[in-house]
Amino acid sequence: MNIYCHRGIFDNKKIIENTIPAFIKALEDNLNIELDIRLTKDKRIVVFHDLNLERLAGISKKINDISYKELKTIKLLNTNATIPTLEDVLRLVSGKVNLLIEIKDFFSKRDLDNLNRLLLDYNGKVLLQSFNPLLIRKLNLSSLKRYSNGVLITNKYQGLKKTFYQLYIYNYLLKRKYYDFIACPKDLVFKVKEKYNDELFIWTIKTKEEYYKYKKYSNNLISEYIKKTNSKKN
């Protein structure tokens, strides 16, 4: 069983998601890590989930409108935690556990080349994923194709947009072979399994009951419910 800690191990009080302390805590429990990356205004790759700083810093600015020099001075949720670069996290983890990296922005060829350079000297298992299937296609045309890559699907759409999205997912995407895995929300697991029998990641597991329910359907769980035992023994 591969458990990937969703944004590290955090409570967003003393330990903030997607920060060095959250990843240190995951390493202490020998658990794999899921994280998100975005681009700053000056094209530095940083580890952060949201499009803007509103939720975690109370600032109405987008990450890609701020330089890294300014961004690194911003403290998160009244703590001393700051937004790390991907390079910081790679140096910390150093291959001790697997990394599942979600690319939040649409990276240009230059951005992908920069990501590739950061990963070249990293000795550890890395998986890349994105909600954008076009970006995954770009990965397969770059040096990053050496890593397992996957398409995330969502259940957030409503109305007509939901109808068209589901037609695309179930009648086209799940039949393609340009990716290595699919990552789906737990609410869509049963529908996805009807069409897709290859490697599946399920997100986000939040309770003990969900853990035992969904581990029957996949060996890869992205989770905020963390068992005390080593993930490899679960």
Side-chain angles (χ1 to χ4, degrees):
M1 174 63 67
N2 296 310
I3 302 294
Y4 288 81
C5 299
H6 187 232
R7 308 177 199 171
I9 297 179
F10 64 93
D11 57 12
N12 275 352
K13 294 177 181 177
K14 293 183 178 179
I15 301 178
I16 311 303
E17 65 187 63
N18 271 331
T19 62
I20 294 299
F23 301 140
I24 288 174
K25 184 64 177 172
L27 290 175
E28 288 174 352
D29 288 347
N30 196 28
L31 290 161
N32 302 317
I33 295 169
E34 183 269 352
L35 57 87
D36 310 279
I37 57 173
R38 287 191 177 277
L39 297 166
T40 63
K41 185 177 182 179
D42 48 350
K43 300 299 183 179
R44 293 290 298 273
I45 301 176
V46 296
V47 179
F48 198 73
H49 176 271
D50 295 0
L51 179 65
N52 60 57
L53 289 160
E54 186 68 41
R55 180 173 65 92
L56 292 183
I59 299 172
S60 297
K61 285 187 177 181
K62 294 181 179 179
I63 298 296
N64 59 16
D65 287 335
I66 305 174
S67 70
Y68 176 65
K69 182 177 180 180
E70 179 184 356
L71 194 67
K72 69 181 182 179
T73 67
I74 295 172
K75 303 296 177 64
L76 303 176
L77 291 179
N78 299 313
T79 70
N80 288 322
T82 57
I83 298 171
T85 63
L86 178 60
E87 189 173 7
D88 293 333
V89 176
L90 293 176
R91 190 180 302 114
L92 170 72
V93 176
S94 191
K96 299 180 184 73
V97 298
N98 299 346
L99 288 177
L100 176 60
I101 300 174
E102 180 183 343
I103 304 173
K104 303 297 289 187
D105 295 322
F106 192 83
F107 279 36
S108 67
K109 183 181 184 302
R110 181 180 177 182
D111 299 326
L112 291 177
D113 288 343
N114 188 26
L115 176 59
N116 183 54
R117 283 193 293 272
L118 289 177
L119 293 174
L120 272 177
D121 295 327
Y122 181 74
N123 295 314
K125 185 173 181 179
V126 172
L127 303 92
L128 302 171
Q129 62 178 358
S130 172
F131 279 104
N132 194 325
L134 295 178
L135 179 58
I136 297 302
R137 284 186 179 275
K138 286 182 70 174
L139 290 181
N140 276 310
L141 297 174
S142 75
S143 298
L144 292 165
K145 66 182 180 182
R146 67 184 180 272
Y147 299 109
S148 293
N149 59 77
V151 178
L152 284 145
I153 61 176
T154 184
N155 57 357
K156 71 176 183 179
Y157 298 125
Q158 300 296 324
L160 194 58
K161 193 171 185 178
K162 177 180 179 179
T163 300
F164 283 116
Y165 181 76
Q166 289 188 344
L167 284 172
Y168 166 71
I169 293 297
Y170 300 117
N171 294 294
Y172 178 78
L173 181 67
L174 294 182
K175 298 177 182 178
R176 303 301 97 186
K177 294 297 180 184
Y178 62 84
Y179 49 80
D180 299 303
F181 63 89
I182 287 287
C184 77
K186 52 185 180 278
D187 295 345
L188 295 183
V189 167
F190 306 112
K191 194 165 185 179
V192 169
K193 293 288 282 185
E194 290 176 2
K195 302 273 187 178
Y196 182 78
N197 294 312
D198 293 329
E199 190 166 15
L200 180 67
F201 285 66
I202 302 173
W203 54 276
T204 303
I205 306 304
K206 295 189 175 184
T207 67
K208 179 178 180 180
E209 291 72 25
E210 288 180 349
Y211 170 81
Y212 284 105
K213 177 179 180 180
Y214 290 103
K215 77 171 192 172
K216 296 182 291 185
Y217 301 101
S218 175
N219 287 325
N220 304 294
L221 301 180
I222 302 171
S223 181
E224 291 178 6
Y225 166 72
I226 304 302
K227 290 173 67 66
K228 294 298 183 183
T229 54
N230 183 299
S231 63
K232 297 178 182 178
K233 297 178 183 178
N234 289 349

